Amino acid sequence: MHHVINGDAPQQVILVQVNPGETFTIRTEDGALQCIQGPAEVPMMSPNGSIPPIHVPPGYVSQVTGRNGSGPCVGVAKPLSHNEDVISPLIGEYPFLGNTFTKCDSSMQQPNKQLNNRHKIPSYGKYKVVYSTVCNSVKGPSSDARAFTTHSDPPDTPLPPRLSHRTKSSLTLQWKPPADNGSKITNYVLEWDEGKKNSIFREYYVGHQRHCKVMRLCPAVGYTFRVAALNDIGTSGFSTEVLFYTTGSLPQTSLPPRLVQTGPSWVTLEWTRPNSCSTEEVVTYTLEMQDETKLYGGMLHLVWSSNISLNCRPLQLIICSGEWCSAPSSLLVCKTTPDRPGPPVNPAVNTVTYHSFCVTWEPPQDDGGSGDLTYVLEISEGNSEGWATLYRGPERKHLCEDRKPATSYSLRLSCVNVGGQSQCSDDLTVCTHIPPPGRCQPPSIVGNVKHREMTLQWDGPLCGEESENVEFSLEMCAMEEGSEPTEVYCGCKAECTVGNLLPGTTYRFQVRAANSAGYGPYSESVEISTAAGPPGQCSPPAINVTSHTCAEVTWEVKSSGIDISEYRLDWGRDLDSLELVYSGTETYFQISNLEASTDYCCRLQAVNQAGAGPYSDLVTCQSPAAAPDVVSGFRLVDHPLNPTESEPFSHSTSLALTWDEPHCNGAEMTSYSISVGDSIITTGNVTCHIIRDLLPDSEYSLQIRAENEMGPGPFSQTLTVRTRPLPPSPPRLECAAVGPQSLKLRWGFSSRSQLTEDTTYVLQMEDRNQRFVVVYRGPSHTFKLQRLSESSRYRFRIQAVSEAGEGPFSETYTFCTTKSLPQTLKAPRVVQLEGNAREVTWESIPPMRGDRISYVLQVLGGREADYKQVYKGDETSFQLSGLQWNTDYRVRVFACRRCADTLQELCGSFSPSAHFNLRRSDATLAVEADVTRVPMGSTLTDEQFAGLMVFGVASLSVLMAFLLQVK
């Protein structure tokens, strides 16, 4: 708002009122801009008495009021943005009056009252100042104009550089000079980040030129620049950072065009400008078919082509910038317009935080015939009925960020293709989590601070949803350089006691709160010192090892002025085995009974009336090496422990010894010495040995000792051992009985040594793989092998084992099984033929291992005493003719095996006999014929007939004996 002062004067003073929150901008004579923040009144002088124009943004109004009225000078104007200028072009001298100005008020009654509301004015742009006093409607005369010049300042912050030219390896930059504030600009400083994007700038150019060509750059890389100006007063601030790219920033292969809409004979496509291209770069696009038929060439991102058949025709996009073009994009196949798709299915929400959540969904069951779908995700906050589009794109998930904490949102989904938009899915509700808690108050001390512990408390963050159900984490850090903070408390209470502190030590504490959303910021740190306490840490003691069994420990007396009541010395092999070995006021102690080549350690502690101080640093030492200890575990074993021995081992002439390795006492073991009577046997660094060439059944006294680089150790206790007698020799093996499937073997006493009752025999037989396997082990002198193969050779050997050991194996014996006889046939069957002829049949036997089988039929008839052979051959039946009537006959048969290799004939046993007779009566013949057909019926075999005779004789004898006894 303008206020006119002394409007009648030809040279008029204008007061521009700047309200709170407003900015008034003027241009000085050298073209620089000066911004004045409200509230203020800026005095301006018009040389010709007219009001200069005040330029305001569109929609803003400047109001002019006179100061010769009554009441306070107050006006209202709309605020100006900090980025908008109000330019007041004036004629003649610069109209801004002085670096102080006056705000008019009705309380100004005295002309000489001190002015207030001072405001800083631009440095060095020359000034004239006049003033007048106005009270209510009375205005005093104006003072004489006085000229003055402000001091110079560093230049203003320049505007960011502009890109004037670029190539693949260079960028040419220009910039405008800022206001020099009264001192001429001498140099410009151009800095850049070398394309590393790490906010670290390095100086590239220093000079008075306002342009610079940056060379040796990489193609398609962005570089950030800023510029500052220098004069004799100082350096301006750096300009706003600006990012420029070298050429060649287009991708090697452009992204394919996107299908916007299709019809029967037209298609609308769009594509995206590459992100790597700057806004100044001119990019052209070429849309063509796969056969290089050009459809479009230009700079638009959206193109509509008609009168062309594009159904299932592949398209590709080429992006060009200057002389460089990208490779064709991947092919896009356009199809005719499909139907509307169905809504997306299975929407779900996961990864929910206090400011974001992720929404996922699956494609619709009916995509309308188009695979290219654009999904639309809409959101509504709380109970609001309005829906806003949150995401639109082809992805099936979206991360919704920048949401309000602890707020409920409703979501719905739809999808769009060229056929239209689907219906929305069912609403999905999600509630964001609460945010992490705020900053806690610094910890404070509760009660008195002790030398080892202190109690701290603190106030939690401000009340809110994020402050509910919180836990606190208290961290402590020592003041030494390089100390890392450690957590000393974690819990729900806002108070804790910290222990295990060092006396007279300062610690830094800070606390933070945490809830289900995570940790909040740390509080301000506080430093607290513990009270003085027990003595400090002692210096490490000195150890002097005098021998492998003795050491002297000495330490220095603490000279800090603290009274020490006693020293405590702990000694042991390691930290866990330390024991108190000395307690007193002396500074010397001797330790004995040490072990050779053993690591030892010790520590020292000082004690006063306040308590015990901390232990000194651990000091280690090692006792010197010595000869080995006495060997233990010297014993006799049954079998050698070293399987690499090639020479056979005999318990009668050899002794297998073993022992436990003793402690080497710090020197590597070299050998062992075994004392056998008057002789010494030396072995290498082993724990087993075989002494050979000894006498059987003899007693020996043995001792052993170990040797290392330091010398031999003591002998062990005497071990008395005895060799075994010589083992028995093998007996002679004989075959006692042989059969087609069995062999009975027997053996007798050894000829070389007498066998005892405890002798065990081991019989082995060679298998098909020519390996001997044990078939019998025991004290018996006979053994029968069953289930053998007929007419086969078998190889055997035998060994005798006694308390003296296992004797040698005998020579190999070979025995053969015999061939099997044919099996006994069943009783033959007799079948009646015409007249006095009969047919006899019997069972058949298959060939035995390739040998043919023949049959022999014998007949016993009438009063004849012996069977007669009536048939021999391969058939299983034979007809008997010329038989006598009313005569009893018996027939029997046996099988014979014809050996093909030896031409020998082996015959089996007779079959049971079959009985029949010839009767002239037809009925009798019929009955007899029926009887003969049943093999085990009325027909009696020889065995049955003999049994019947024996039973009759026995019954008669019993009857005669009974009769004689009765008489």
Side-chain angles (χ1 to χ4, degrees), residues 709-732:
E709 297 176 354
M710 306 303 297
F715 273 108
S716 66
Q717 295 182 352
T718 302
L719 175 65
T720 302
V721 295
R722 190 179 186 87
T723 56
R724 297 180 184 180
L726 290 174
S729 59
R732 179 177 180 81

Side-chain angles (χ1 to χ4, degrees), residues 819 899-905:
K819 289 192 175 184
C899 300
D901 51 352
T902 61
L903 300 180
Q904 182 182 5
E905 191 173 53

Side-chain angles (χ1 to χ4, degrees), residues 750-824:
S750 173
S751 60
R752 190 177 67 181
S753 62
Q754 184 67 27
L755 299 179
T756 63
E757 296 180 355
D758 297 333
T759 303
T760 301
Y761 299 97
V762 179
L763 179 64
Q764 294 184 349
M765 181 179 70
E766 190 179 50
D767 60 5
R768 296 180 179 178
N769 298 324
Q770 296 182 351
R771 293 180 304 181
F772 282 93
V773 295
V774 177
V775 295
Y776 171 75
R777 180 187 295 270
S780 179
H781 291 259
T782 60
F783 181 72
K784 185 175 183 180
L785 289 92
Q786 305 284 353
R787 299 180 182 179
L788 304 179
S789 300
E790 64 172 344
S791 187
S792 299
R793 292 178 175 269
Y794 294 93
R795 293 164 55 86
F796 301 91
R797 66 180 185 182
I798 194 170
Q799 176 191 36
V801 180
S802 67
E803 294 181 353
E806 296 181 356
F809 280 100
S810 67
E811 59 179 313
T812 303
Y813 296 88
T814 303
F815 302 108
C816 298
T817 55
T818 60
K819 289 192 175 184
S820 301
L821 299 177
Q823 66 183 19
T824 301

